[in-house]
Amino acid sequence: MDLEGVIRNRPVKKESWKTVLTLAYQSLGVVYGDLSTSPLYVYKSTFAEDIQHSETNEEIYGVLSFVFWTLTLVPLLKYVFIVLRADDNGEGGTFALYSLLCRHARVSSLPNCQLADEELSEYTIDGVVSDSKPVGGSTLKSTLEKYKVLQTLLLILALIGTCMVIGDGVLTPAISVFSAVSGLELSMSKEQHRYVEVPVACIILVFLFALQHYGTHRVGFLFAPVVITWLLCISAIGVYNIFHWNPHVYQALSPYYMYKFLKKTQRGGWMSLGGILLCITGSEAMFADLGHFSQLSIKIAFTFVVYPSLILAYMGQAAYLSKHHVIESNYRIGFYVSVPEKIRWPVLAIAILAAVVGSQAIITGTFSIIKQCSALGCFPRVKIIHTNSKIHGQIYIPEINWTLMLLCLAVTIGFRDTKRMGNASGLAVITVMLVTTCLMSLVIVLCWHKSIFLAILFIFFFGSIEALYFSASLIKFLEGAWVPIALSFIFLVVMYVWHYGTLKKYESDVQNKVSINWLLSLGPTLGIVRVRGIGLIHTELVSGIPAIFSHFVTNLPAFHQVVVFLCIKSVPVPHVRPDERFLVGRVGPKEYRLYRCIARYGYRDIHMDDLEFEKDLVRSIAEFIRSEGPECNLRMEEFEDNEKMTVVGTSSSNLRGIRLSEDADSSGRTGTSEMREIISPERLRKRVRFVLPESPQIDRDARAELQELMEAREAGMAFILGHSYVRAKRGSSLMKKVVINFGYDFLRRNFRGPTYALSIPHASTLEVGMVYHV
């Protein structure tokens, strides 16, 4: 599946108003499903036990004031006007901020970074960058680059935010669906409700997760209309309640009522902030899903549709409750008591649909962030299925989907009430926001080149608000808040163990690589018989000769006439342009026929399938041979440090030069200048051949080399996959032995191998394992 053209054609600047409004409409269904369903449970969670609703209305007015100013300061001011500007070439989220920092200071966790990666088009950002660089910014940058412990802490901070997003992927579907279903409490007795609510919620959750493998595009056309209908519904109910019950409720928007609230309720009011916090759950999605839309479209949707609808909804609930101090129900204050009785059933149906939409958004977001972590070497490899060949970012990960479903059902069945679910969800939400605030303060200094004073002001203002909510959520550790901490700790251990093991494995590969002098001493034939065909040796190394090659040459009597050292690596940018995909170079003199090819992918890129990748790989080597000048033939002693790499694009980006053309062939016969694809018997055979441009610039040696490459491709391609196993050295600490020998080894054995290895024909594959002690 090659979506490169689709990805590159996404509008990122100067869209027409029609495009902007269309994206704003679509964003309502994808981004705001979670945020728009928060009125279902905010008041109920706030008044659960910590405070009581009295006849003076000071409590309900104070809560409304807190809700209004929290929605205004965090989603509107912080995210819409500040954080959305910190995009990574149109992409958002925790890893977007981390990748920005990695590019502006050398703090990247990827071990195989190259200077050539900094020449990628997307290595520069589109954000507002000042020409003047404050002294404080340079000092901060040098400090981060100097101390390894600070780089580790920065990585752990980004991973904590990521783990809390995954935890939110478990908790948001549970609380959203459970709160929507809780509307049944007003139409049946308490005994009946207790036995109906949980099973109905579980059935809806199982149905929701079972639909994931179809992809969001198959049911996506329903998303925006459902959320718009829900927002119009709660807005209309809010306006009705305001005018019918208490037109003067707008006075509660004054910050003075927050002071009165805390003065009267004291410790109980502070603890109830964990429930008020839920009014901004889902705000992080505005930034995380930025890559699917645009800044302007998300700002318009929130400012003119979502924000006023939520304010009206909360004001309407407060107006109703201000005139109903004694609720004739044992379920305390909920959303559905403020809904007129005649329309409760339709509102219940719309609420359940909106909860499903909101849950869908966070589940898809969890898939996306795990894909990013895996691409940057911070999560074990998982099977990633792209459910839409046209819409970038719509993916499905089976293992994660079913894990989320089991955890979600466990939370629903275990808690069975919105209070503890709200405590858990609130802590996950506020932790992600705190991480974003911390990373954002570094972006202000290192990427935007603003003064440290401005960054301190940002982190002090927003950090103080979020720290207040964080403390109120953390105090409820035993009442549900332990769940996101436990989930995040498990995922954090998995991520860090995998990252640490991957780093040690790469360091072992570097230490054991073979000297170029050893290769040069073998001569052009490598001391063995060179047979027809291409030998493709996968390695994580971006320079040098892997130890696995010397193992082959020493122990096998023959090897292929053309050898390619292939490295598929990720770079800290969201996307790599097709015309910058490959780096191709030569290992040793020309007559050795040894090449190095580095395929670079961004953390949101979609990997090409094996057929397209194989064709582009061969074509990129041919293009390198064609474009290489005679001056590139280095002397023997220069090869070690002067291995020159050339940027070669994919076939979809380069319409001139070397190309591979293919046509159908039902007979399966091939001529001398054709190359045969390895395909399954049920497929139609394809003939693939080189098309060389009639250019006088291609000298005789280059043509001979191209002819040899073409013949080798016709003879077939063999894949040599090296597996390096790492073990802790004798004398290592107990912690290191546990992490390497048990943790990393367990993850390596039970998760998938490299994605490119899944579709390689087994008949032409050779796997070799080597053990390193680190």
Side-chain angles (χ1 to χ4, degrees):
M1 182 185 301
D2 188 5
L3 303 189
E4 292 177 333
V6 177
I7 295 169
R8 298 314 317 165
N9 291 331
R10 290 178 307 160
V12 290
K13 287 185 179 180
K14 296 184 179 179
E15 305 106 326
S16 65
W17 277 108
K18 181 180 178 181
T19 303
V20 170
L21 293 178
T22 301
L23 289 173
Y25 167 77
Q26 294 173 346
S27 71
L28 289 171
V30 176
V31 178
Y32 298 109
D34 186 13
L35 185 61
S36 65
T37 55
S38 57
L40 286 170
Y41 44 79
V42 168
Y43 283 139
K44 189 173 183 178
S45 299
T46 304
F47 289 95
E49 286 181 4
D50 303 317
I51 55 176
Q52 299 296 325
H53 180 207
S54 65
E55 294 188 7
T56 61
N57 286 327
E58 290 182 345
E59 294 86 359
I60 192 65
Y61 282 5
V63 170
L64 175 60
S65 184
F66 264 105
V67 167
F68 172 76
W69 286 105
T70 303
L71 278 171
T72 302
L73 294 177
V74 178
L76 187 63
L77 181 59
K78 175 187 170 183
Y79 279 95
V80 170
F81 290 106
I82 301 176
V83 176
L84 284 180
R85 296 178 59 226
D87 65 303
D88 184 7
N89 290 281
E91 300 291 342
T94 305
F95 262 88
L97 295 177
Y98 181 67
S99 70
L100 282 178
L101 295 173
C102 288
R103 299 210 302 272
H104 287 79
R106 298 187 184 278
V107 295
S108 176
S109 60
L110 294 172
N112 53 1
C113 293
Q114 298 172 278
L115 288 175
D117 298 337
E118 298 181 9
E119 299 174 2
L120 292 169
S121 301
E122 292 201 0
Y123 216 86
T124 57
I125 63 172
D126 296 328
V128 179
V129 179
S130 173
D131 293 332
S132 61
K133 297 185 178 182
V135 178
S138 302
T139 305
L140 179 61
K141 178 181 176 181
S142 60
T143 304
L144 281 174
E145 292 177 345
K146 181 178 180 181
Y147 296 101
K148 188 71 175 178
V149 64
L150 294 179
Q151 299 174 21
T152 304
L153 288 176
L154 186 63
L155 174 64
I156 292 176
L157 184 65
L159 291 182
I160 288 174
T162 301
C163 292
M164 283 294 179
V165 171
I166 298 172
D168 200 21
V170 173
L171 297 165
T172 293
I175 190 173
S176 297
V177 173
F178 192 86
S179 299
V181 173
S182 67
L184 297 170
E185 69 191 15
L186 298 177
S187 60
M188 59 181 66
S189 66
K190 181 178 180 181
E191 291 298 323
Q192 291 175 324
H193 176 254
R194 185 172 60 182
Y195 293 108
V196 171
E197 188 177 31
V198 174
V200 171
C202 290
I203 290 171
I204 294 174
L205 288 171
V206 171
F207 178 73
L208 171 65
F209 283 98
L211 283 178
Q212 295 302 312
H213 73 279
Y214 290 108
T216 55
H217 68 287
R218 297 188 186 273
V219 290
F221 68 94
L222 288 174
F223 284 8
V226 166
V227 175
I228 290 175
T229 304
W230 170 250
L231 289 172
L232 290 176
C233 181
I234 61 176
S235 301
I237 294 172
V239 171
Y240 169 80
N241 285 331
I242 290 171
F243 285 99
H244 188 265
W245 297 110
N246 188 355
H248 301 288
V249 73
Y250 68 89
Q251 297 175 356
L253 302 183
S254 169
Y256 175 67
Y257 283 92
M258 291 193 290
Y259 166 74
K260 290 182 67 176
F261 171 78
L262 292 177
K263 182 179 180 181
K264 181 178 181 180
T265 57
Q266 297 182 357
R267 187 176 187 274
W270 169 61
M271 294 182 67
S272 70
L273 294 179
I276 298 172
L277 162 67
L278 297 177
C279 71
I280 54 175
T281 179
S283 300
E284 187 74 19
M286 286 192 289
F287 186 43
D289 292 332
L290 181 61
H292 299 179
F293 304 100
S294 66
Q295 286 188 32
L296 186 57
S297 63
I298 289 180
K299 290 177 179 179
I300 289 174
F302 180 79
T303 307
F304 296 103
V305 180
V306 180
Y307 178 73
S309 299
L310 291 175
I311 297 300
L312 288 174
Y314 286 115
M315 288 178 66
Q317 287 186 62
Y320 178 87
L321 295 173
S322 67
K323 300 299 181 182
H324 296 79
H325 304 105
V326 179
I327 305 298
E328 296 179 359
S329 171
N330 293 324
Y331 307 110
R332 302 187 181 274
I333 299 174
F335 167 77
Y336 290 101
V337 293
S338 65
V339 178
E341 191 172 351
K342 293 182 179 179
I343 61 172
R344 275 179 186 167
W345 283 105
V347 171
L348 173 64
I350 297 171
I352 292 175
L353 288 174
V356 169
V357 170
S359 302
Q360 173 67 48
I362 190 65
I363 293 168
T364 304
T366 305
F367 292 159
S368 298
I369 203 164
I370 285 179
K371 177 181 181 293
Q372 296 174 34
C373 293
S374 181
L376 294 178
C378 294
F379 197 86
R381 299 182 184 96
V382 289
K383 182 180 182 180
I384 297 174
I385 300 172
H386 297 276
T387 58
N388 195 326
S389 60
K390 296 181 180 179
I391 301 178
H392 172 65
Q394 292 191 359
I395 61 175
Y396 169 66
I397 304 177
E399 299 97 327
I400 301 301
N401 183 65
W402 302 122
T403 302
L404 290 179
M405 187 191 77
L406 293 175
L407 293 173
C408 194
L409 291 175
V411 168
T412 304
I413 297 171
F415 284 163
R416 297 190 297 278
D417 68 80
T418 54
K419 177 194 173 185
R420 288 184 290 178
M421 289 184 192
N423 294 339
S425 181
L427 184 62
V429 168
I430 200 63
T431 304
V432 175
M433 291 184 175
L434 272 172
V435 170
T436 300
T437 300
C438 295
L439 294 178
M440 190 66 207
S441 63
L442 293 176
V443 169
I444 290 174
V445 177
L446 297 178
C447 305
W448 291 357
H449 304 304
K450 303 295 183 181
S451 67
I452 289 186
F453 174 76
L454 194 63
I456 293 174
L457 186 65
F458 176 86
I459 198 171
F460 177 78
F461 181 75
F462 292 107
S464 299
I465 297 172
E466 291 161 358
L468 179 65
Y469 282 118
F470 180 79
S471 63
S473 297
L474 194 61
I475 199 73
K476 298 180 179 180
F477 179 82
L478 298 177
E479 299 176 27
W482 61 269
V483 172
I485 295 178
L487 290 175
S488 300
F489 178 76
I490 294 171
F491 280 105
L492 183 63
V493 169
V494 170
M495 289 180 175
Y496 196 77
V497 165
W498 181 261
H499 174 72
Y500 180 78
T502 302
L503 194 63
K504 290 300 178 183
K505 176 178 171 294
Y506 183 81
E507 291 175 355
S508 299
D509 287 337
V510 171
Q511 293 172 1
N512 290 276
K513 68 181 182 181
V514 180
S515 169
I516 191 71
N517 294 325
W518 171 84
L519 178 70
L520 296 175
S521 66
L522 299 177
T525 64
L526 303 180
I528 55 177
V529 178
R530 303 292 290 271
V531 298
R532 292 185 64 196
I534 297 178
L536 189 65
I537 301 177
H538 180 266
T539 174
E540 299 292 336
L541 297 176
V542 293
S543 63
I545 302 169
I548 185 177
F549 183 66
S550 66
H551 181 74
F552 270 99
V553 171
T554 305
N555 294 280
L556 294 179
F559 210 76
H560 301 87
Q561 66 186 113
V562 174
V563 178
V564 180
F565 298 108
L566 173 65
C567 175
I568 301 176
K569 73 169 190 173
S570 295
V571 287
V573 295
H575 304 288
V576 175
R577 293 177 179 271
D579 55 350
E580 299 173 327
R581 174 75 66 213
F582 292 104
L583 276 176
V584 184
R586 192 184 296 279
V587 180
K590 286 186 177 182
E591 57 270 19
Y592 281 50
R593 301 297 190 253
L594 268 63
Y595 308 95
R596 183 183 311 284
C597 186
I598 300 173
R600 301 179 290 183
Y601 288 90
Y603 58 81
R604 282 185 181 263
D605 269 335
I606 298 168
H607 288 229
M608 292 179 288
D609 60 39
D610 59 316
L611 187 64
E612 291 296 323
F613 183 81
E614 186 179 316
K615 290 194 300 183
D616 276 345
L617 176 66
V618 176
R619 194 209 60 81
S620 64
I621 296 172
E623 183 65 27
F624 165 75
I625 295 171
R626 184 190 71 84
S627 60
E628 188 182 33
E631 67 276 5
C632 295
N633 197 12
L634 302 175
R635 295 190 303 272
M636 293 290 185
E637 62 271 14
E638 293 180 328
F639 282 117
E640 185 73 49
D641 300 320
N642 295 285
E643 183 182 308
K644 293 186 177 181
M645 305 292 288
T646 301
V647 177
V648 180
T650 63
S651 58
S652 61
S653 66
N654 190 353
L655 301 179
R656 300 186 302 170
I658 307 296
R659 290 184 293 116
L660 288 173
S661 70
E662 61 181 34
D663 50 53
D665 180 18
S666 57
S667 64
R669 295 190 302 270
T670 56
T672 56
S673 63
E674 296 162 350
M675 290 177 290
R676 187 178 306 166
E677 292 291 341
I678 301 175
I679 57 176
S680 56
E682 62 270 13
R683 287 196 204 168
L684 191 67
R685 288 182 179 273
K686 291 182 179 179
R687 297 186 303 171
V688 185
R689 55 191 174 83
F690 275 122
V691 178
L692 299 180
E694 294 296 333
S695 173
Q697 297 177 355
I698 302 180
D699 58 24
R700 186 172 59 184
D701 292 341
R703 285 190 178 275
E705 193 171 359
L706 285 170
Q707 183 67 28
E708 188 172 350
L709 177 65
M710 180 176 58
E711 292 174 356
R713 178 64 184 83
E714 290 176 356
M717 184 176 291
F719 300 86
I720 295 91
L721 302 178
H723 293 284
S724 301
Y725 303 96
V726 291
R727 291 287 183 272
K729 292 179 180 177
R730 288 185 178 180
S732 300
S733 64
L734 178 62
M735 179 62 70
K736 185 175 182 180
K737 289 181 179 178
V738 170
V739 169
I740 295 294
N741 295 350
F742 297 99
Y744 180 72
D745 188 63
F746 174 82
L747 294 174
R748 182 187 58 79
R749 291 178 183 276
N750 290 276
F751 280 84
R752 294 175 180 268
T755 54
Y756 56 82
L758 299 178
S759 54
I760 291 175
H762 294 288
S764 57
T765 303
L766 185 61
E767 299 189 28
V768 176
M770 302 186 70
V771 179
Y772 297 133
H773 289 87
V774 297

